[in-house]
Amino acid sequence: AQSVTQLDSHVSVSEGTPVLLRCNYSSSYSPSLFWYVQHPNKGLQLLLKYTSAATLVKGINGFEAEFKKSETSFHLTKPSAHMSDAAEYFCVVPLQGGSQGNLIFGKGTKLSVKP
Amino acid sequence: EPEVTQTPSHQVTQMGQEVILRCVPISNHLYFYWYRQILGQKVEFLVSFYNNEISEKSEIFDDQFSVERPDGSNFTLKIRSTKLEDSAMYFCASSKRSSTSGGETQYFGPGTRLLVL
């Protein structure tokens, strides 16, 4: 069965420093993978998605993620954090065989950005 | 840019009462979903809906829950007799096409925070 594990519940960085949010997936095949972000009092917004085209995926707001099959990872990175990046980030995989593709969420990583 | 909207943003109810959570999906989307997130836990799938019927539902979606598309724009989740453990954030989502292949993006609303007392 598919699953995703977000290794850190909380990450704190200083503004202007790199961001790394870790996600490992478990799947018997090469899945699609998503990163969603949730700002306070806002909906879940798609940051980027991997669908077996390029392994390095660029998303909105300068974020990118690299699909590494050998490591079963899909870590989210950004070279330089901005205060507006403070939010909760979710790594997501669709359920294999789900007729309408229900999504399986990781527990989320809360990103804090210090000035 | 089109968005999924949800009302109300917050709802407080007494145990045993019925609640209806409302969602307006993106207008040209055909597939609709409900998810929930209990405080401190993962976002969990509840149900998907297409062509006026449930496509798939999770174990959480028992007889106390129902969904409906009463008109061309709204998509509702009804909880018939709320329990304390129904307290959660409920998210509605929609997609243009089926997510069967796994690559179709689901667009989420801001959520309704339900508190059952």
Side-chain angles (χ1 to χ4, degrees):
Chain A
Q2 297 96 309
S3 66
V4 286
T5 302
Q6 292 183 246
L7 297 155
D8 306 295
S9 59
H10 191 197
V11 169
S12 182
V13 301
S14 297
E15 193 174 20
T17 64
V19 175
L20 170 64
L21 306 182
R22 297 181 293 168
C23 172
N24 285 93
Y25 69 91
S26 170
S27 177
S28 56
Y29 72 113
S30 188
S32 299
L33 288 158
F34 302 80
W35 276 99
Y36 280 86
V37 60
Q38 186 180 27
H39 289 93
N41 301 316
K42 300 277 188 181
L44 292 157
Q45 181 185 20
L46 180 71
L47 266 183
L48 50 80
K49 69 178 182 183
Y50 165 76
T51 53
S52 74
T55 55
L56 181 63
V57 183
K58 293 189 186 301
I60 61 171
N61 302 335
F63 284 92
E64 60 183 40
E66 187 171 8
F67 176 77
K68 290 188 177 178
K69 190 173 180 179
S70 60
E71 298 176 10
T72 61
S73 70
F74 189 58
H75 301 333
L76 183 70
T77 60
K78 181 172 181 178
S80 175
H82 192 273
M83 296 296 292
S84 60
D85 294 327
E88 188 149 24
Y89 292 79
F90 295 92
C91 183
V92 179
V93 64
L95 177 67
Q96 180 184 7
S99 61
Q100 293 302 331
N102 88 59
L103 301 178
I104 299 171
F105 281 72
K107 288 197 81 170
T109 299
K110 187 163 287 191
L111 175 66
S112 300
V113 182
K114 298 175 289 192
Chain B
E1 188 177 319
E3 289 183 335
V4 177
T5 59
Q6 290 184 244
T7 54
S9 58
H10 294 79
Q11 171 112 34
V12 181
T13 190
Q14 296 290 323
M15 192 169 58
Q17 294 296 304
E18 174 184 286
V19 294
I20 298 176
L21 309 183
R22 290 184 167 80
C23 168
V24 179
I26 294 173
S27 63
N28 62 346
H29 285 189
L30 300 176
Y31 297 83
F32 314 114
Y33 314 84
W34 283 101
Y35 293 79
R36 79 170 185 192
Q37 184 182 30
I38 295 171
L39 191 64
Q41 298 186 24
K42 292 183 181 185
V43 176
E44 303 170 290
F45 169 78
L46 291 178
V47 66
S48 59
F49 191 86
Y50 168 70
N51 201 25
N52 278 321
E53 58 183 34
I54 290 173
S55 309
E56 191 175 0
K57 59 183 181 178
S58 70
E59 292 174 354
I60 304 166
F61 194 88
D62 61 22
D63 292 343
Q64 292 297 316
F65 292 89
S66 62
V67 288
E68 195 176 36
R69 188 151 162 83
D71 54 44
S73 59
N74 288 283
F75 178 51
T76 61
L77 174 69
K78 183 193 292 187
I79 309 175
R80 226 175 307 278
S81 176
T82 50
K83 303 188 282 282
L84 296 176
E85 53 265 37
D86 293 328
S87 295
M89 177 76 93
Y90 288 80
F91 293 104
C92 173
S94 69
S95 65
K96 195 178 291 188
R97 287 175 288 272
S98 166
S99 296
T100 305
S101 65
E104 185 67 18
T105 299
Q106 294 182 21
Y107 294 86
F108 285 80
T112 293
R113 189 172 294 282
L114 176 66
L115 179 60
V116 182
L117 302 176

